[in-house]
Amino acid sequence: MHHDHHARASIRRTDGLAPPRGVSFDGIDAIRDRAAREMVCAARGWVLVFCLAEGVRAWRDALQAAGARWHGTLAWIKPDASPRFDGTGPARGFECIACAWAGPGRRRWNRGGARGVYTCLTAKGGHVAAKPEALMTALVGDFTQRGQIICDPFMGSGTTGLAALRLGRGFCGVEKDPSTYSAAQARLAMAARMPPLRLPEPPAVQAQLPLEIL
């Protein structure tokens, strides 16, 4: 959500190609507190927010102030992340996901004691901040139940909705850009005509594998 650096005209590449294009939407900073309140008010379970590492604390504070119970930070590892084009230091190879519980009772998800680390290639083309379908399918499958409704207040190209429909969840998306909304609507309408994926239910208890000393 912190993306002012994308708009800097001073970014230069060392390979002679054109600099990365800027994003077409404003940063979240000015509306973070309001967005957090709306998310927590609407949620009956998990609230997940993609952000850079520098934004995790701000989202934690905003979500807690809105009444959510802070859980922690997930990591999306990007094996094909873009290099640092100016060569002045290491490139960023991951993105954080701020994670809080806004539902009643105990926190619950579908993967037992598994780690909250997701390794997935980035989405290519389309919306500038598009998330890969494999990543969103994993998150929807891990944090929601069949029949629940998922809300994405920054819908973009609609990948969250696509994952929701294919896993038998409902979906409500919000997008302020008319052309982006129309493209996402068409994409979701096509997905709605497809039968949902039938995935095996996760085991209630993780199996313990015997370890042998070789």
Side-chain angles (χ1 to χ4, degrees):
M1 294 298 184
H2 293 257
H3 54 251
D4 291 341
H5 62 286
H6 287 292
R8 291 183 304 181
S10 61
I11 294 179
R12 294 181 302 153
R13 295 178 59 144
T14 58
D15 55 9
L17 299 179
R21 61 191 178 94
V23 298
S24 59
F25 49 90
D26 297 330
I28 195 68
D29 299 45
I31 64 168
R32 180 186 289 106
D33 291 343
R34 178 183 174 187
R37 289 193 299 269
E38 296 294 340
M39 291 177 188
V40 173
C41 180
R44 298 295 181 270
W46 293 101
V47 176
L48 303 181
V49 183
F50 284 88
C51 60
L52 300 184
E54 294 85 345
V56 170
R57 181 172 180 176
W59 274 110
R60 181 203 65 184
D61 294 346
L63 291 168
Q64 285 183 325
R69 294 161 55 193
W70 178 250
H71 177 79
T73 307
L74 313 178
W76 168 26
I77 308 300
K78 306 176 182 181
D80 62 338
S82 297
R84 190 174 183 92
F85 296 113
D86 61 9
T88 59
R92 191 186 302 271
F94 69 97
E95 190 169 336
C96 294
I97 307 173
C99 181
W101 175 258
R106 295 184 58 187
R107 293 168 290 187
R108 52 190 180 276
W109 78 320
N110 299 326
R111 291 189 60 207
R115 298 175 179 87
V117 177
Y118 298 82
T119 301
C120 185
L121 301 179
T122 59
K124 303 300 183 183
H127 191 272
V128 68
K131 301 299 184 293
E133 185 179 336
L135 173 64
M136 300 316 300
T137 298
L139 291 174
V140 168
D142 289 352
F143 287 91
T144 67
Q145 309 301 322
R146 189 177 297 274
Q148 289 184 328
I149 298 175
I150 298 170
C151 178
D152 187 347
F154 307 99
M155 178 172 66
S157 60
T159 306
T160 303
L162 189 68
L165 294 178
R166 289 184 174 176
L167 292 180
R169 276 70 163 167
F171 179 71
C172 175
V174 179
E175 171 56 49
K176 70 176 185 178
D177 181 74
S179 61
T180 301
Y181 176 81
S182 296
Q185 188 179 41
R187 185 185 185 194
L188 295 176
M190 182 179 295
R193 294 192 289 269
M194 300 174 62
L197 297 177
R198 298 297 179 183
L199 301 179
E201 293 297 327
V205 179
Q206 291 183 313
Q208 293 185 354
L209 301 179
L211 300 179
E212 297 181 358
I213 300 177
L214 300 180

